[in-house]
Short mmCIF file of all heavy atoms in Angstrom, two decimals:
data_model
loop_
_atom_site.label_atom_id
_atom_site.label_comp_id
_atom_site.label_asym_id
_atom_site.label_seq_id
_atom_site.Cartn_x
_atom_site.Cartn_y
_atom_site.Cartn_z
N TYR A 287 -109.00 -57.32 -7.35
CA TYR A 287 -109.31 -56.45 -8.49
C TYR A 287 -108.87 -54.97 -8.31
O TYR A 287 -108.29 -54.42 -9.21
CB TYR A 287 -110.80 -56.50 -8.75
CG TYR A 287 -111.30 -55.42 -9.71
CD1 TYR A 287 -110.95 -55.44 -11.07
CD2 TYR A 287 -112.12 -54.40 -9.24
CE1 TYR A 287 -111.41 -54.44 -11.92
CE2 TYR A 287 -112.56 -53.40 -10.07
CZ TYR A 287 -112.20 -53.40 -11.44
OH TYR A 287 -112.65 -52.45 -12.26
N THR A 333 -106.65 -56.78 -15.30
CA THR A 333 -106.32 -57.20 -13.95
C THR A 333 -105.92 -58.64 -13.82
O THR A 333 -105.11 -58.99 -12.95
CB THR A 333 -107.49 -56.82 -12.99
OG1 THR A 333 -107.68 -55.44 -13.11
CG2 THR A 333 -107.18 -57.13 -11.56
N ARG A 361 -111.77 -48.63 -16.81
CA ARG A 361 -112.21 -49.87 -16.23
C ARG A 361 -113.75 -49.97 -16.34
O ARG A 361 -114.43 -49.02 -15.93
CB ARG A 361 -111.79 -49.95 -14.75
CG ARG A 361 -110.29 -49.85 -14.57
CD ARG A 361 -109.98 -50.02 -13.10
NE ARG A 361 -109.42 -51.33 -12.87
CZ ARG A 361 -109.02 -51.75 -11.64
NH1 ARG A 361 -109.19 -50.98 -10.59
NH2 ARG A 361 -108.55 -52.96 -11.50
N THR A 362 -114.22 -51.05 -16.88
CA THR A 362 -115.69 -51.13 -17.12
C THR A 362 -116.45 -51.39 -15.84
O THR A 362 -117.57 -50.93 -15.68
CB THR A 362 -116.02 -52.19 -18.16
OG1 THR A 362 -115.22 -53.32 -17.97
CG2 THR A 362 -115.81 -51.66 -19.55
N PHE A 363 -115.88 -52.17 -14.91
CA PHE A 363 -116.62 -52.55 -13.73
C PHE A 363 -117.00 -51.33 -12.88
O PHE A 363 -118.10 -51.32 -12.27
CB PHE A 363 -115.73 -53.53 -12.88
CG PHE A 363 -116.42 -53.91 -11.59
CD1 PHE A 363 -117.46 -54.83 -11.59
CD2 PHE A 363 -116.03 -53.38 -10.38
CE1 PHE A 363 -118.08 -55.20 -10.42
CE2 PHE A 363 -116.63 -53.75 -9.19
CZ PHE A 363 -117.70 -54.65 -9.22
N LYS A 378 -113.73 -52.17 -25.60
CA LYS A 378 -112.49 -52.19 -24.91
C LYS A 378 -111.59 -53.38 -25.31
O LYS A 378 -110.38 -53.25 -25.39
CB LYS A 378 -112.76 -52.26 -23.39
CG LYS A 378 -111.56 -52.26 -22.53
CD LYS A 378 -111.90 -52.11 -21.09
CE LYS A 378 -111.46 -53.34 -20.34
NZ LYS A 378 -111.63 -53.21 -18.93
N ASP A 395 -110.05 -64.77 -15.71
CA ASP A 395 -110.33 -63.40 -15.25
C ASP A 395 -110.10 -63.37 -13.72
O ASP A 395 -110.08 -64.45 -13.08
CB ASP A 395 -111.75 -62.97 -15.58
CG ASP A 395 -111.85 -61.46 -15.71
OD1 ASP A 395 -110.89 -60.75 -15.33
OD2 ASP A 395 -112.87 -60.97 -16.19
N ASP A 396 -109.97 -62.16 -13.17
CA ASP A 396 -109.76 -62.09 -11.71
C ASP A 396 -111.01 -62.42 -10.95
O ASP A 396 -110.98 -62.95 -9.88
CB ASP A 396 -109.24 -60.71 -11.34
CG ASP A 396 -110.13 -59.58 -11.89
OD1 ASP A 396 -111.11 -59.24 -11.20
OD2 ASP A 396 -109.86 -59.08 -12.96
N VAL A 399 -118.38 -60.78 -11.53
CA VAL A 399 -119.28 -60.13 -10.60
C VAL A 399 -120.68 -60.09 -11.20
O VAL A 399 -121.55 -60.89 -10.85
CB VAL A 399 -118.75 -58.70 -10.25
CG1 VAL A 399 -119.65 -58.07 -9.23
CG2 VAL A 399 -117.32 -58.79 -9.74
N ARG A 400 -120.88 -59.20 -12.12
CA ARG A 400 -122.22 -59.17 -12.78
C ARG A 400 -122.25 -60.11 -13.98
O ARG A 400 -123.30 -60.37 -14.59
CB ARG A 400 -122.58 -57.76 -13.21
CG ARG A 400 -122.69 -56.81 -12.03
CD ARG A 400 -123.05 -55.39 -12.52
NE ARG A 400 -123.16 -54.47 -11.38
CZ ARG A 400 -122.13 -53.78 -10.85
NH1 ARG A 400 -120.94 -53.91 -11.41
NH2 ARG A 400 -122.29 -53.01 -9.85
N GLY A 401 -121.09 -60.52 -14.42
CA GLY A 401 -120.99 -61.40 -15.57
C GLY A 401 -120.99 -60.59 -16.90
O GLY A 401 -121.04 -61.18 -17.98
N THR A 403 -118.55 -58.98 -18.29
CA THR A 403 -117.39 -59.27 -19.08
C THR A 403 -117.40 -60.71 -19.57
O THR A 403 -117.22 -60.96 -20.78
CB THR A 403 -116.12 -59.06 -18.18
OG1 THR A 403 -116.20 -57.77 -17.58
CG2 THR A 403 -114.84 -59.13 -19.02
O1 PRP B 6 -118.37 -59.72 -14.05
P1 PRP B 6 -118.21 -58.26 -14.28
O2 PRP B 6 -119.34 -57.50 -13.67
O3 PRP B 6 -117.93 -57.94 -15.68
O4 PRP B 6 -116.94 -57.79 -13.39
C1 PRP B 6 -115.70 -58.42 -13.44
C2 PRP B 6 -114.79 -57.77 -14.47
O5 PRP B 6 -114.66 -56.36 -14.29
C3 PRP B 6 -113.34 -56.00 -14.04
O6 PRP B 6 -112.64 -55.55 -15.23
P2 PRP B 6 -112.46 -54.01 -15.65
O7 PRP B 6 -112.74 -53.89 -17.05
O8 PRP B 6 -113.33 -53.13 -14.73
O9 PRP B 6 -110.99 -53.62 -15.29
P3 PRP B 6 -109.55 -54.20 -15.66
O10 PRP B 6 -109.19 -53.65 -17.01
O11 PRP B 6 -108.69 -53.69 -14.56
O12 PRP B 6 -109.58 -55.70 -15.67
C4 PRP B 6 -112.68 -57.29 -13.57
O13 PRP B 6 -111.30 -57.30 -13.83
C5 PRP B 6 -113.41 -58.33 -14.39
O14 PRP B 6 -112.85 -58.41 -15.66
#
Side-chain angles (χ1 to χ4, degrees):
Y287 167 68
T333 302
R361 301 183 103 181
T362 39
F363 178 74
K378 182 172 118 170
D395 208 348
D396 53 85
V399 183
R400 298 181 180 89
T403 310

